[in-house]
Amino acid sequence: MKSFTVCVVGCGYVALVTGACLAEIGHHVCCVDNDQKKIAELQAGKIPIYELGLDNLVRRNVKKKRLSFAPTLAAGMEDAQIVFIAVGTPPRPDGSADLTFIDAVAQEIAVHLKRYTVIAEKSTVPVETGEEVERTIKHHNKKGIPFDMVSNPEFLREGTAVQDFLHPDRIVIGVQSKRAQKMMTDLYARIKTKLIITDIKSAELIKHASNSFLATKISFANSVGRVCELVGADAKQVTEGMGLDPRIGPSFLRAGIGFGGFCLPKDLEAFHFISRQVGYDFELLRTVKEVNEQARALFVSKIEKALQTLEGKTIGILGIAFKPNTDDVRFAPAVDIIGRLQARGAYIRAYDPVAMKKAEGVLKGVHFCSNAYEAAAKAHCLALVTEWPQFKGLNFARIKRSMTQAVLMDGRNLYDGIKMKALGFEYHGMGRFA
Ligand code: NAD
């Protein structure tokens, strides 16, 4: 099978996994980043993010000289046949995607083109960004070196990113030339899955529409949960019953405190924004966002109701990462919830198995604990925010003994309410009466 020389721009969650996995399937990959500290760490063998299996993958491929890291695009693109753009596309205050990093990289790529190159968008971008990037590169490509734009959106999930990349449900390739199509299909030849070959705009839309649909499913489950609470039904069982229908499916169909992270919230907003901009107000997406915000507000008001007041109360928080098995706290529900609790006068003790270092960078006035038991000690309420599997097997008899008031607020419906009540807790789930 053909081996390519690849440059991946960005050394974040997506770029590092993309680079390491492409090296693993036999390509020669150089990852570059303009964060020189990150590059120095990577060159010293340190991985700046927590992602299951990534350490070993990076180490193995660096040793085999298939993976390297460089501080400049000039060095990274030296022999590159394919360049992936995998930099961040954060949200702007108006909800649109901030494409500043993409634009800066496009300008730089244009200057360093040496031979025919495929430029692949890996970052999640609004529809028509590919066209814009192509225009930018053409404008700065003074020598007129040939290149082709490709959209190759990424569907990996943090926490299982390496597995997801190597064993994906599908690979989407938006292309406009046979030459680029052949190179991209050869690049992924070792990965056995369904290939969707389409045009660039459709590929861009597949990603935005997929993430917005997943967000919609979560908000739907949360709305069902609201009805369940009002009538005394159990959302956990209702959504389980719904999910068994193969037309619905069980994933992303659980009532709780909603979605967060660096993908769903910003992609939902950016999709809404771009839809409006091209002439369609995709109103459903606005509601999805509102329901998500309500879920967090509801969680905080449930704690307040159980304790009568939050002023001077101590709340133990279990989990800060936006979901289990990652250290990523960007747009994590915990960050928002902790802020709301603090604003009402609560004192926070928090613990997360791997996200503590990143959390320390974004949370102020929080007492960070070294384990779950320490977070619960002397608390008036213990609030489960991220459903790390290790939180399931905690010794709750011990936890109850250490708490000032035994209120357990289960934001992810992880626990058996009946068992928790039998242990003496005042238990509250989401969309459940027990
Ligand atoms: P990230 O913030 O972890 O990484 C982005 C990296 O790009 C950073 O290391 C930054 O220093 C680097 N960078 C910025 N400007 C640069 C430049 N001019 N030159 C070189 N490097 C530069 O972001 P991420 O989570 O990896 O997300 C990247 C993109 O992938 C986003 O568009 C995101 O929506 C998309 N995506 C993310 C996920 C996910 O689970 N995180 C999944 C699928 C798609």
Side-chain angles (χ1 to χ4, degrees), residues 63-292:
K63 205 167 160 199
K64 289 191 172 167
K65 300 208 177 318
R66 288 198 299 243
L67 180 62
S68 61
F69 302 98
T72 63
L73 208 59
M77 279 182 65
E78 189 63 37
D79 303 307
Q81 299 161 285
I82 302 174
V83 178
F84 280 97
I85 304 177
V87 297
T89 49
R92 284 207 171 97
D94 64 2
S96 63
D98 182 349
L99 301 176
T100 316
F101 301 130
I102 299 269
D103 189 54
V105 171
Q107 291 186 34
E108 240 194 294
I109 287 174
V111 175
H112 298 298
L113 282 173
K114 287 207 172 91
R115 65 193 73 76
Y116 171 78
T117 309
V118 166
I119 316 292
E121 280 176 347
K122 192 55 128 170
S123 303
T124 302
V125 290
V127 63
E128 297 182 333
T129 301
E131 284 181 350
E132 184 58 35
V133 170
E134 185 170 17
R135 272 195 294 276
T136 304
I137 297 180
K138 273 192 181 143
H139 180 74
H140 292 273
N141 175 14
K142 300 295 180 209
K143 292 185 200 143
I145 312 278
F147 72 95
D148 269 314
M149 260 328 281
V150 165
S151 167
N152 175 217
E154 185 48 56
F155 299 94
L156 63 78
R157 296 160 298 175
E158 286 175 27
T160 51
V162 171
Q163 275 303 307
D164 291 346
F165 193 97
L166 294 172
H167 306 282
D169 306 316
R170 76 292 209 194
I171 292 173
V172 174
I173 300 173
V175 271
Q176 53 197 359
S177 91
K178 286 285 168 214
R179 188 176 182 185
Q181 179 178 332
K182 172 91 174 70
M183 280 174 72
M184 291 303 287
T185 48
D186 284 350
L187 180 82
Y188 286 116
R190 287 185 185 88
I191 297 181
K192 300 292 165 228
T193 190
K194 170 110 180 121
L195 277 186
I196 308 278
I197 307 291
T198 181
D199 59 279
I200 293 178
K201 288 187 209 177
S202 302
E204 291 168 335
L205 275 172
I206 288 171
K207 177 65 189 178
H208 257 177
S210 298
N211 273 4
S212 298
F213 186 77
L214 292 173
T216 304
K217 247 183 129 179
I218 295 171
S219 280
F220 190 93
N222 280 332
S223 295
V224 169
R226 297 298 291 270
V227 179
C228 287
E229 277 193 14
L230 290 169
V231 300
D234 186 341
K236 199 169 178 180
Q237 290 182 324
V238 173
T239 53
E240 192 187 328
M242 291 168 64
L244 288 170
D245 182 332
R247 293 169 302 176
I248 298 173
S251 33
F252 284 69
L253 195 69
R254 275 181 302 155
I257 50 177
F259 55 83
F262 194 55
C263 289
L264 296 198
K266 78 172 174 60
D267 294 349
L268 176 80
E269 285 224 47
F271 191 31
H272 188 204
F273 188 94
I274 191 75
S275 304
R276 238 182 2 243
Q277 204 170 53
V278 299
Y280 175 66
D281 190 356
F282 204 148
E283 267 193 84
L284 175 63
L285 303 183
R286 190 193 344 267
T287 310
V288 170
K289 183 184 168 204
E290 278 166 17
V291 170
N292 197 51

